[in-house]
Structure formats: structure tokens, C-alpha cells
Amino acid sequence: MRYWLCITNRDNWEVVKKKNVWGVAKRHKNTIAKVKPGDRLVFYVKQERRDKEILEPKVVGIFEVISEPYTDSTRIFKSPPHLNETYPLRVKIKPVKLGELEFKPLIPRLKFITNKKKWSGHLMGKAMREIPEEDYKLIENSL
């Protein structure tokens, strides 16, 4: 079993919860190809600004993968207009644990984040990344 941190925004997190599906852009095909049924996906929503309010980054849930990766270009996820992306590389998932956990207080204890000061660099440009079991257990027990 492998553990993955899935990086998304609040709008697409709502889609993930409603449809029990996770999708990534074609450029992430090598990453999602490694995902297998039984793997655990930890969902991380990025820091966002809504009007004048800053919404802090959070871990919002853990899901189990229940399908092999497949392709479906149905437009269910929101994409920035300049990308016009459908996130067609997908896996079906089922919820394991839902909740909200502030991400920043976890940073000093997460092994996959080696640069604690510039921690966001470990997530930039990625749709998902593998994390060690130790980090997964810390998140699962804190959620």
C-alpha cells in the first residue's frame, strides 16, 4: 500500500466528496499510473483567498482507492480558464475519514517536507505526491 497527498482547491474538493473520484491532468500520468486499489489518498486543500479572507491550507479527508486509473474527460472538475483542463486521468475512491486539520502546524513533524521554511515548494506544480507511511499515520491520527 502506498500513501499519496492529493493537492486540490476547495471547489474541486467538493467534487471529490460528491462523486468519489479523483482526477489529474495528463501531464501527471506517470504519477497516477503508480496508484493502485487499496492505496490511501490524503486530500490537501491549498491556501486560497476569497474576497479579503485568506483560507488557510488544510487536510480535509482520507480516501481509499477502489479502481485502477482510467480516462474520462467528462467535465466535472473546475479548471483555471487558461488551462481548460478536465483532469481526465482518474481513480474511483471511497471515504475513510473526513474532517478538517490545519496543515501548517503539521509541517515540523512531516518527514516528506525537508525544507520547513519553504515548505510549499514540496507541493508546487504537483497534483499528488507520495508520502511516507509515518506521515500518513500522523495525519490520520490527527484528523
Side-chain angles (χ1 to χ4, degrees):
M1 181 188 313
R2 293 168 104 167
Y3 306 95
W4 304 89
L5 188 72
C6 297
I7 300 147
T8 191
N9 59 36
R10 282 161 178 78
D11 289 338
N12 286 335
W13 165 238
E14 292 304 317
V15 175
V16 167
K17 277 194 304 193
K18 280 191 190 93
K19 307 231 180 231
N20 287 322
V21 68
W22 169 241
V24 300
K26 288 181 183 150
R27 69 181 179 277
H28 300 296
K29 71 179 188 300
N30 294 342
T31 305
I32 202 160
K34 298 174 190 164
V35 175
K36 301 282 176 248
D39 285 3
R40 294 291 169 95
L41 305 184
V42 174
F43 282 88
Y44 164 91
V45 292
K46 299 184 270 199
Q47 181 169 302
E48 292 175 47
R49 183 185 297 267
R50 291 266 163 102
D51 300 317
K52 296 204 177 347
E53 187 186 6
I54 292 199
L55 305 174
E56 292 294 330
K58 290 181 176 173
V59 171
V60 289
I62 297 171
F63 283 69
E64 181 181 333
V65 176
I66 57 171
S67 77
E68 293 288 338
Y70 64 96
T71 302
D72 178 351
S73 295
T74 308
R75 194 172 289 283
I76 58 172
F77 296 105
K78 288 193 174 148
S79 159
H82 66 283
L83 289 178
N84 192 27
E85 180 64 72
T86 61
Y87 308 108
L89 306 177
R90 300 180 183 174
V91 288
K92 288 183 166 58
I93 56 179
K94 68 177 187 187
V96 172
K97 200 170 189 181
L98 297 174
E100 291 202 350
L101 177 63
E102 293 291 336
F103 189 74
K104 287 178 181 171
L106 292 172
I107 292 166
R109 298 166 60 200
L110 291 170
K111 295 274 179 277
F112 85 91
I113 295 181
T114 50
N115 184 337
K116 307 298 184 189
K117 283 192 174 57
K118 291 192 165 67
W119 62 271
S120 63
H122 294 277
L123 308 175
M124 291 263 181
K126 294 179 169 50
M128 57 192 303
R129 64 162 298 160
E130 193 169 0
I131 61 171
E133 183 175 8
E134 190 179 339
D135 286 353
Y136 170 80
K137 287 201 156 81
L138 168 67
I139 292 167
E140 184 185 42
N141 294 332
S142 304
L143 192 60

